[in-house]
Amino acid sequence: RETMTGVHRLHYDATRAWYEGKLDAAYRAQRRLVDLRPELWYQRHLLGSYCFAVNRPAEIVETMLAAEDRVADDPSGGGLASLTWHLRHLTRAYHMLGMFDEELETAQRLEDAGWSDAPRTPYYKGRAFAGLDRADGVRRSLDQIESLADTTYQAGLLMLAVALELRYHGNRD
């Protein structure tokens, strides 16, 4: 550890804290790393994960949007895998913040990108429609998920999750 550069040490400290369950310490180390080296945009993605763990959804949005134009440059391969990871984080954070229009727009971007996890895309859209109290959109999402029931074990759980979201947001029908 002592021979590591400052950036590597912060990354190590954040990772170690994460695995030890010290989520606040992991977040703080990763935040310092990003503040120290903002050009390391891929570290922003890690910061986004740590922000979820410490319930900082607004910071997730800020962090993800700051890195968005560089997603294709992801050193782990970039492309669709990085883009979908990025967009999934954004949809979740937007939902936590009650920003359902943005969540729906981001879920649509995920679908337009051709993400291959078919049942989850209509789930994200259905969750956003529920937040917007748009039962018609929720129903379309449920129909899309149900049409995939023969191809994935997730369909039933995702349908239940979308329906519960509608209920959580006050719709009693």
Side-chain angles (χ1 to χ4, degrees), residues 14-123:
T15 304
R16 183 174 179 130
W18 178 268
Y19 286 112
E20 291 175 352
K22 299 174 183 172
L23 303 180
D24 284 323
Y27 161 77
R28 285 191 309 275
Q30 190 67 25
R31 173 83 261 168
R32 283 193 308 273
L33 193 157
V34 168
D35 289 344
L36 181 67
R37 298 287 304 275
E39 75 278 9
L40 298 177
W41 64 271
Y42 53 90
Q43 293 292 346
R44 292 177 185 273
H45 279 177
L46 287 174
L47 178 60
S49 294
Y50 295 141
C51 287
F52 274 122
V54 294
N55 196 26
R56 293 176 175 265
E59 192 170 349
I60 295 162
V61 170
E62 176 188 324
T63 298
M64 295 290 102
L65 292 179
E68 188 161 305
D69 63 334
R70 302 290 306 277
V71 170
D73 300 329
D74 186 334
S76 67
L80 186 59
S82 295
L83 179 63
T84 57
W85 186 91
H86 176 84
L87 294 175
R88 287 184 355 251
H89 269 56
L90 274 174
T91 61
R92 188 170 155 202
Y94 282 139
H95 194 81
M96 291 170 74
L97 292 167
M99 299 172 69
F100 306 121
D101 287 315
E102 292 83 351
E103 177 186 16
L104 183 58
E105 180 183 315
T106 305
Q108 186 61 54
R109 286 179 61 202
L110 194 54
E111 183 175 80
D112 293 346
W115 186 35
S116 64
D117 192 354
R120 300 212 62 203
T121 303
Y123 162 72

